[in-house]
Amino acid sequence: MRMVDIIDKKRNGGELTKEEIQTFVDGVVSGEIPDYQTSAFLMATYFKDMTDAERSELTMAMMKSGDHLDLSSIDGIKADKHSTGGVGDKTSIPLAPIVAALGIPVPMISGRGLGHTGGTLDKLEAIPGYTVEISEKDFLKQVQDVKCAIVGATGNIAPADKKIYALRDVTDTVDSIPLIASSIMSKKIASGTDALVIDVKTGSGAFMKTLDDSRELAHALVEIGKGVGMDCMAIISDMNQPLGNAIGNALEIKESIDILKGNGPKDITDLVLTLGAHMVVMAKKADNLDDARKMCEQTITDGSALKKFGDMVAAQGGDRNVVDHPEIMPQAKFKIDLPAQKAGVVSKVAADEMGIASMLLGGGRQKADDKLDYAVGIMMNKKIGDQVKEGESLLTIYSDREDVDDIKKLLYDNIEISDHAEPVTLIHETIR
Ligand code: URA
């Protein structure tokens, strides 16, 4: 079977067979299929989509391209959360220790930044010493002992996804339902979790811009999970403006610690508690969401979640002093405010462009092998619905260069001040 024929069939809208999909995945992993053909296949899939059967076959072929983690040595129901990616979305970082503080094992295998969105692993690497690459043996031991770990895909989890993910990032083929669904679910099935909550983002800063597309993605993810016997559900949450106030690696770690101290921004704290409550119910530690949410809140109030975060950081080689001294993370040379050009109500903060601004400052990758600047980013001082006076700071740019006129222009072009703002709904739907 020639790869060019498989590309041709997809390009013309045909439905690929299991064998054709297997040939593609095998060739990607072995290196037999060159990047230019993989890229062409990805672009064809982007435009022609895949049927449910193709989506499942692609997921399973990618999942089987590597190892399957056996978590059976860890006691209890293992619960995980995965997000489809957003701007300022650092929920995994406070969520894992909150849920783990309730005795629930959270084996989290996370990703790096993709497109304009940040990646949990990149953020955690802003903590001095923190390593996301640990052996499978150490990962299992850490989840058993500490109850949570946030790591990159260990050695050989879904190696097909590693290659495809990197190529999607640089070929503008990220926002495709079959490619996102197979990427997420191949890793999640291979990681062996029992229960999974998926946070599907919707809006300008998400890969799915409309509620309809987000709903379709959520259904695709949940169906693939259920098809292999996983307890799986999704929520659709808003990504029209950045989540929380911080965008940028070290800034987002600092905000995660604030959430764990009970001082986090309201929107992200609310989302973390909602996701946590679902995980607690799925892990059978509470009968209903209200009780589960109270249990999660209690881990913040009594400090157990913050301690758990410190334990996780230390177990992965990081400096747990970061909890009380976030300044041990890289610090930006310049902090530059963006003053409002008129008075009114903030009515739009385009999340994707805020993510791009942070990326252009050096906080994200423009090319697959770009090195990140952990210190840089943006702190939102005003969000949608906030009143602002002329000259008041809308946000602060954290930069290692003094001249940020290009960034300021991009930001001004993507923040609107009017006489009123539409209310923001944080959680749109729950899908089971
Ligand atoms: N997260 C993933 O793991 N894969 C995607 O394609 C998007 C978000």
Side-chain angles (χ1 to χ4, degrees), residues 82-85 114 161 165 168 174 179-181 183-184 187 207:
H82 197 87
S83 151
T84 58
L114 193 61
D161 180 61
Y165 198 95
R168 284 168 59 211
V174 171
L179 298 181
I180 297 178
S183 164
I184 292 179
K187 288 177 291 202
F207 296 128

Side-chain angles (χ1 to χ4, degrees), residues 5-235:
D5 297 327
I6 298 175
I7 296 170
D8 179 75
K9 186 167 176 188
K10 187 43 57 195
R11 192 200 69 176
N12 292 320
E15 180 172 12
L16 300 176
T17 62
K18 182 175 175 174
E19 290 68 33
E20 286 163 337
I21 290 176
Q22 192 65 54
T23 301
F24 164 66
V25 172
D26 288 347
V28 168
V29 176
S30 69
E32 233 165 280
I33 298 178
D35 287 355
Y36 52 81
Q37 282 192 314
T38 304
S39 302
F41 177 85
L42 295 174
M43 193 58 87
T45 302
Y46 180 92
F47 281 114
K48 296 296 174 176
D49 205 345
M50 282 186 166
T51 61
D52 285 348
E54 286 176 296
R55 291 173 185 181
S56 296
E57 294 302 350
L58 180 60
T59 305
M60 295 316 279
M62 283 166 61
M63 191 275 281
K64 289 181 191 150
S65 71
D67 300 338
H68 191 285
L69 272 186
D70 179 2
L71 302 182
S72 59
S73 61
I74 301 168
D75 306 325
I77 298 175
K78 276 69 75 180
D80 192 1
K81 186 273 320 183
H82 197 87
S83 151
T84 58
V87 178
D89 182 7
K90 71 282 293 169
T91 42
S92 294
I93 299 164
L95 178 64
I98 287 173
V99 175
L102 294 167
I104 299 165
V106 184
M108 246 184 208
I109 297 186
S110 293
R112 297 202 174 272
L114 193 61
H116 61 276
T117 68
T120 300
L121 301 181
D122 298 327
K123 294 168 199 180
L124 286 165
E125 284 177 344
I127 303 172
Y130 193 101
T131 177
V132 299
E133 279 162 29
I134 64 177
S135 70
E136 185 177 324
K137 187 164 151 270
D138 290 346
F139 176 64
L140 296 181
K141 183 167 178 346
Q142 185 177 327
V143 178
Q144 174 66 29
D145 296 348
V146 182
K147 293 284 174 266
C148 61
I150 307 182
V151 301
T154 56
N156 208 27
I157 290 281
D161 180 61
K162 270 198 194 130
K163 289 199 171 180
I164 293 173
Y165 198 95
L167 280 176
R168 284 168 59 211
D169 199 18
V170 291
T171 56
D172 200 23
T173 50
V174 171
D175 48 340
S176 149
I177 291 174
L179 298 181
I180 297 178
S182 57
S183 164
I184 292 179
M185 295 312 290
S186 61
K187 288 177 291 202
K188 290 296 144 186
I189 298 169
S191 75
T193 189
D194 302 312
L196 178 66
V197 181
I198 309 164
D199 181 12
V200 176
K201 300 287 183 195
T202 193
S204 77
F207 296 128
M208 297 294 111
K209 310 285 182 212
T210 67
L211 197 50
D212 277 351
D213 282 350
S214 307
R215 202 177 282 125
E216 189 187 338
L217 175 60
H219 278 293
L221 290 159
V222 170
E223 284 312 307
I224 294 171
K226 283 187 181 162
V228 295
M230 189 187 278
D231 186 6
C232 191
M233 51 106 32
I235 65 162

Side-chain angles (χ1 to χ4, degrees), residues 241-306:
Q241 64 175 339
L243 189 58
N245 300 333
I247 309 166
N249 300 296
L251 295 172
E252 294 194 46
I253 294 292
K254 159 92 172 55
E255 187 165 276
S256 302
I257 294 167
D258 288 344
I259 296 165
L260 290 168
K261 289 180 174 171
N263 306 323
K266 191 178 165 312
D267 60 348
I268 184 153
T269 302
D270 188 20
L271 182 62
V272 167
L273 292 172
T274 303
L275 293 164
H278 282 294
M279 288 168 76
V280 170
V281 170
M282 287 166 111
K284 305 206 185 322
K285 293 274 185 181
D287 295 333
N288 61 68
L289 287 173
D290 284 348
D291 289 352
R293 190 180 173 105
K294 286 194 191 103
M295 289 164 71
C296 292
E297 281 166 351
Q298 181 62 25
T299 68
I300 295 180
T301 321
D302 67 17
S304 57
L306 187 65

